[in-house]
Amino acid sequence: VRASFQQGVARCAEEAASVPPSFKPYQSARLRGGDAPAAVSVDVSGLSQLCLVAEGSMGGGHTYWGEPTLFDAAGRATRLTELKPQVVVVGWSELRVNRGDGPFYSIGKQRQAFGLFAHVDSYLAYAIDKKYVRFEAKVGISDTGFSEAHAVFRVQAGFDARQVQTILRGNMDNESVGDLGRDWSLAC
């Protein structure tokens, strides 16, 4: 696991410099538990790296990227959940990919067919190798989260080592980060 994480970080850092100037990052409004999902649609043409970030309240901040899908120039769809992330940093526990049932798969009582569940704060990085032109998803606090919980969702390009380090530092007492996060944090 440690070697895989470090390789992912190294590749992300290398590709961060290749973000096309035309890329416009996405940021949601502050979403609360019980809110309807927010629709995300981002032009990812020319991107080597896609980064999904969710930051918010730790208590009950169960974030969900519902039905995250990449589209190529011919309109063919690829579920992001079919790709392996290069870097995964979550506020507690682990990234859940298409796992769980009931409220894990719903936002604002709207069921999602598939998706990514992570506690805040989270940072997920995927290699998309300039194969896609659009990313779409529905985001929000999973129905397992608290109504007082909130989060802001971002779609970014490249790798932001400072942002990852901030998330790791904020969760150093969290056993799910483990020595892997502590070692990486010290190396930055």
Side-chain angles (χ1 to χ4, degrees):
V1 172
R2 181 183 314 271
S4 176
F5 180 83
Q6 290 170 336
Q7 287 171 355
V9 168
R11 183 168 178 202
C12 290
E14 289 170 10
E15 294 172 355
S18 66
V19 176
S22 61
F23 176 73
K24 292 179 177 48
Y26 166 85
Q27 180 173 313
S28 74
R30 186 178 192 192
L31 302 175
R32 296 190 160 283
D35 287 351
V40 175
S41 182
V42 178
D43 182 345
V44 295
S45 301
L47 289 187
S48 296
Q49 184 99 40
L50 178 70
C51 300
L52 307 180
V53 182
E55 296 177 301
S57 59
M58 186 59 123
H62 302 172
T63 61
Y64 199 70
W65 295 83
E67 302 174 7
T69 306
L70 292 159
F71 296 91
D72 67 16
R76 287 184 296 266
T78 299
R79 291 180 176 190
L80 187 63
T81 55
E82 294 173 3
L83 303 180
K84 182 179 177 181
Q86 291 175 300
V87 175
V88 174
V89 179
V90 296
W92 184 78
S93 190
E94 63 186 7
L95 175 66
R96 294 173 182 242
V97 179
N98 298 332
R99 285 196 348 219
D101 55 15
F104 279 107
Y105 283 126
S106 62
I107 304 167
K109 307 286 186 226
Q110 295 181 34
R111 177 122 172 105
Q112 306 298 305
F114 57 95
L116 303 164
F117 174 94
H119 289 269
V120 295
D121 293 334
S122 63
Y123 189 100
L124 312 174
Y126 293 84
I128 61 172
D129 303 319
K130 302 179 184 179
K131 295 178 185 175
Y132 305 99
V133 297
R134 179 147 301 283
F135 170 72
E136 295 181 1
K138 299 170 198 161
V139 299
I141 301 292
S142 164
D143 287 335
T144 60
F146 300 141
S147 60
E148 306 83 32
H150 63 270
V152 172
F153 295 79
R154 290 187 194 89
V155 177
Q156 300 174 178
F159 179 69
D160 187 337
R162 280 181 272 168
Q163 192 169 34
V164 170
Q165 193 171 30
T166 298
I167 293 170
L168 286 169
R169 280 189 183 141
N171 296 306
M172 280 299 132
D173 293 331
N174 180 345
E175 289 182 20
S176 69
V177 172
D179 291 335
L180 175 70
R182 288 178 184 82
D183 288 350
W184 185 79
S185 176
L186 295 173
C188 290

